[in-house]
């Protein structure tokens, strides 16, 4: 869940909002039980607000599918696309 919270903080920074407006700790725990669901299903389950799903739903799916990863280089965090093998 700490990795997920780091990713949420990164996304929140990009959207210039506080991470708590996207997802709190309870929601991060809940979403990990529903990795097979879509952003709209997360909204239906009450895990994400519709606004958060619009802002970061696809980003979360990309991370969960392994299409995106966090990278630290020169003490700077970034998100990178993972090339297909």
């Amino acid at each position: 869940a700490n990795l997920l919270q780091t990713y949420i903080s990164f996304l929140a920074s990009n959207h210039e909002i506080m991470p708590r407006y996207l997802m709190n700790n309870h929601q991060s725990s809940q979403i990990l039980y529903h990795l097979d669901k879509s952003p709209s299903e997360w909204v239906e389950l009450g895990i994400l607000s519709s606004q958060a799903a619009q802002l970061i739903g696809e980003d979360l799916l990309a991370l969960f599918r392994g299409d995106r990863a966090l990278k630290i280089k020169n003490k700077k965090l970034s998100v990178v696309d993972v090339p297909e093998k």
Side-chain angles (χ1 to χ4, degrees), residues 1-9 25 28-29 32 63 70 77:
N2 285 339
L3 179 63
L4 181 56
Q5 283 302 112
T6 300
Y7 189 56
I8 297 299
S9 294
N25 288 335
S28 348
S29 297
L32 293 175
L63 179 72
L70 292 172
L77 179 69

Side-chain angles (χ1 to χ4, degrees), residues 11-29:
L11 295 173
S13 175
N14 286 347
H15 290 290
E16 298 180 348
I17 59 176
M18 297 296 294
R20 69 175 178 259
Y21 294 124
L22 294 176
M23 184 182 294
N24 63 33
N25 288 335
H26 176 70
Q27 291 167 307
S28 348
S29 297

Side-chain angles (χ1 to χ4, degrees), residues 25-77:
N25 288 335
H26 176 70
Q27 291 167 307
S28 348
S29 297
Q30 289 299 306
I31 208 165
L32 293 175
Y33 289 108
H34 298 284
L35 296 177
D36 59 331
K37 307 286 188 218
S38 69
S40 61
E41 290 172 306
W42 294 330
V43 172
E44 289 172 17
L45 291 167
I47 297 170
L48 280 184
S49 69
S50 58
Q51 296 86 355
Q54 288 175 346
L55 286 175
I56 64 168
E58 293 302 317
D59 292 306
L60 290 172
L61 280 179
L63 179 72
F64 298 152
R65 285 190 309 249
D67 296 335
R68 209 163 282 152
L70 292 172
K71 176 181 176 180
I72 299 173
K73 185 173 183 178
N74 298 327
K75 298 181 183 179
K76 183 164 172 98
L77 179 69

